Amino acid sequence: MRQIALRMGVLALLVCLCSLANAESFTDDGGVEWLETGNYTLYWGEEVNASGYMIKAADFSPSKAFDTDSDYVMLTVLSDRSESWQTILAVNNSNIPDNYIFGDRLNITALSVVTGNNIPVPYTNITVFLSNVSQTPTVVIEKIDKTIIVEENRAKEVYMDERAHFEIKVRNLRVVPTTIQLIQEIPGGLVFDPDIDMDWNSTIAANGQKSYSYSLKALRPGTYNFTGTQVLVSMDDRIYKKTFHDTQLIVHGPYINLTKSHSAENVQVNDVIQIQVSAVNEGDRAAYVSVSDEIATGAVLVGGTISSSKILHPSENITLTYSLRMDKAGSVVMPSAKATFTDPRDYEDTVNSRRYMLYVADEYGQDGYEQDGYYDDISPEDASYDSINAEQPAVVKEDHGIFRIFYDLADAVKQFISNLRQK
């Protein structure tokens, strides 16, 4: 078995070496050697990964009854360095080439373009070559720095009631208009003030400049990490990207986290439950905090306190603990506790805890029945008593209109005869 496995391994190695030896290559007039990576068939909308380049058949010329020399395919290419290109290739067309070189590293030739009406989906056959360079020099940063100048000013430290201002200035160094796009991800917990769209895509005039500014407000104190702003520049049928350094925004101020908890969720009338309200300063600045709670409808305070106030330094807390006797059955809404605070900078706010529902059953249980049976378990004696003493429905006389006197006379005669019989 080992000999068979060894032979199979040697055979696989020989096949691999043969395939490498048969790989086509050529050298162009500029002395660049191109190595073939493969032939691909791309249907409309499909893409293929060729050595780190995503090649997609984005569109085709309109379908006709038969293929013509005017048929073309639109290819889009995205590199693993965020470069992107787009080109149109055709076969046997004097106006549209069948070959295009992307970034001096990727060479694509269209072998066929098929768009006839007799096929379900148009497609193209392409061959892909890569330049035989061990390491292509990075030109993205140099290209951008020679094209535009970007200045970025970011706020680094603010207080809770202050706006954090940001500004980006872009100057175009080229003698032609240049398209740029700025992308900035905003960390959670920060909101635009006012609300704006942060995806900027615009064209700057030749030797022109543009300024972008916005401000943010924090929902709570803390440290917010910003990823570097991305600058995308479109020129020479390519898109170059430059990313600035990451930064931090520190927001100072008190932050009061208020919670309310209870010892039970289902109780009975006259039961006593324990309530606890806790206010913790989770910010980095001290504040004077007042905490108070409300007594729910149908409850009676039997012990503890429902209000307190003091200066809370960072990480300190106020805790209220009290007892309630539930005197009313039903679904009782336990109200929110409230905490108001202010700090030496006169920054102030009010926070509320979450409300919750407490179910209070009556003395017979949650469903209104006795614990050992239902109310409708009635004995025969009780049934007889109830039938005798039950209120009888009133007799309603029928209205006979103008003939009522005759009916009354007949009723009187019947009553007279009935009395005679009883005697």
Side-chain angles (χ1 to χ4, degrees):
M1 291 297 293
R2 291 183 178 178
Q3 292 179 351
I4 295 176
L6 180 60
R7 291 176 182 175
M8 293 298 293
V10 172
L11 180 61
L13 178 61
L14 291 175
V15 171
C16 181
L17 293 175
C18 291
S19 62
L20 292 175
N22 292 331
E24 295 185 7
S25 64
F26 70 94
T27 302
D28 61 16
D29 296 336
V32 178
E33 182 182 11
W34 296 95
L35 302 179
E36 182 181 356
T37 64
N39 296 326
Y40 304 95
T41 298
L42 289 178
Y43 290 88
W44 183 23
E46 284 188 346
E47 63 180 0
V48 64
N49 187 341
S51 300
Y53 293 89
M54 299 302 298
I55 306 171
K56 181 178 181 179
D59 204 356
F60 286 84
S61 54
S63 299
K64 299 178 182 178
F66 50 89
D67 294 337
T68 66
D69 293 342
S70 62
D71 290 339
Y72 63 82
V73 59
M74 178 184 293
L75 298 178
T76 59
V77 178
L78 178 66
S79 75
D80 53 9
R81 288 182 286 182
S82 299
E83 300 168 291
S84 62
W85 301 273
Q86 182 174 287
T87 190
I88 294 177
L89 300 180
V91 180
N92 299 323
N93 190 311
S94 58
N95 297 321
I96 303 176
D98 63 354
N99 173 265
Y100 192 82
I101 297 176
F102 304 84
D104 301 328
R105 302 183 298 277
L106 180 69
N107 190 326
I108 299 179
T109 299
L111 304 177
S112 65
V113 180
V114 182
T115 64
N117 289 336
N118 58 341
I119 60 172
V121 183
Y123 64 92
T124 181
N125 293 309
I126 61 173
T127 182
V128 180
F129 291 83
L130 291 178
S131 61
N132 187 13
V133 179
S134 59
Q135 184 176 6
T136 304
T138 302
V139 297
V140 176
I141 303 301
E142 295 180 1
K143 287 274 188 180
I144 287 185
D145 290 343
K146 293 181 179 179
T147 302
I148 61 173
I149 295 178
V150 180
E151 297 179 3
E152 186 176 33
N153 297 314
R154 290 185 174 185
K156 295 181 174 58
E157 196 170 4
V158 296
Y159 211 80
M160 273 295 295
D161 54 350
E162 296 176 339
R163 296 181 181 182
H165 292 277
F166 297 80
E167 184 180 27
I168 302 174
K169 295 180 180 180
V170 183
R171 181 182 174 187
N172 183 13
L173 302 178
R174 306 180 74 196
V175 295
V176 295
T178 300
T179 300
I180 70 165
Q181 183 180 14
L182 302 176
I183 301 176
Q184 172 64 74
E185 295 182 3
I186 305 301
L190 298 174
V191 294
F192 285 105
D193 185 31
D195 188 22
I196 60 174
D197 185 4
M198 266 303 297
D199 245 348
W200 293 307
N201 192 352
S202 60
T203 299
I204 302 179
N207 296 317
Q209 62 182 5
K210 203 162 190 178
S211 178
Y212 306 87
S213 60
Y214 62 96
S215 61
L216 300 173
K217 273 196 170 182
L219 300 179
R220 61 175 296 171
T223 300
Y224 297 87
N225 297 312
F226 284 78
T227 58
T229 301
Q230 295 182 10
V231 182
L232 282 70
V233 180
S234 177
M235 55 183 172
D236 304 328
D237 297 326
R238 305 179 192 177
I239 296 179
Y240 297 93
K241 181 177 72 173
K242 180 177 181 179
T243 303
F244 287 86
H245 294 297
D246 298 346
T247 60
Q248 286 185 337
L249 172 66
I250 300 175
V251 180
H252 299 291
Y255 181 79
I256 307 303
N257 184 7
L258 184 65
T259 58
K260 181 176 179 178
S261 60
H262 52 288
S263 60
E265 294 182 356
N266 299 302
V267 298
Q268 288 189 337
V269 170
N270 295 323
D271 281 353
V272 175
I273 63 171
Q274 305 297 321
I275 306 294
Q276 186 177 81
V277 177
S278 178
V280 182
N281 186 358
E282 296 181 354
D284 63 349
R285 295 293 187 270
Y288 181 79
V289 183
S290 297
V291 182
S292 61
D293 200 5
E294 290 184 50
I295 303 300
T297 303
V300 177
L301 179 67
V302 295
T305 179
I306 61 172
S307 65
S308 182
S309 61
K310 72 174 184 176
I311 296 175
L312 289 185
H313 294 274
S315 301
E316 292 185 343
N317 68 86
I318 296 175
T319 299
L320 306 178
T321 303
Y322 61 93
S323 304
L324 294 179
R325 186 180 69 245
M326 308 309 298
D327 286 357
K328 180 181 178 181
S331 297
V332 179
V333 177
M334 305 299 285
S336 301
K338 181 175 70 172
T340 60
F341 65 90
T342 183
D343 69 359
R345 290 173 52 106
D346 291 331
Y347 168 63
E348 58 185 9
D349 201 358
T350 300
V351 294
N352 295 277
S353 67
R354 296 181 59 184
R355 295 188 301 171
Y356 62 92
M357 189 76 71
L358 178 69
Y359 187 80
V360 182
D362 61 22
E363 58 183 337
Y364 300 106
Q366 294 184 1
D367 297 321
Y369 300 115
E370 292 181 342
Q371 298 300 322
D372 56 352
Y374 296 103
Y375 276 132
D376 55 1
D377 290 341
I378 302 175
S379 63
E381 293 79 9
D382 292 337
S384 300
Y385 175 83
D386 289 343
S387 62
I388 295 173
N389 293 279
E391 183 179 354
Q392 299 297 323
V395 178
V396 180
K397 291 185 177 181
E398 187 177 359
D399 187 6
H400 299 287
I402 60 174
F403 301 103
R404 179 175 178 180
I405 187 174
F406 298 105
Y407 285 94
D408 291 343
L409 181 60
D411 290 339
V413 172
K414 291 180 181 179
Q415 185 64 34
F416 177 75
I417 294 173
S418 176
N419 291 337
L420 289 177
R421 290 177 177 175
Q422 292 179 0
K423 293 179 178 180

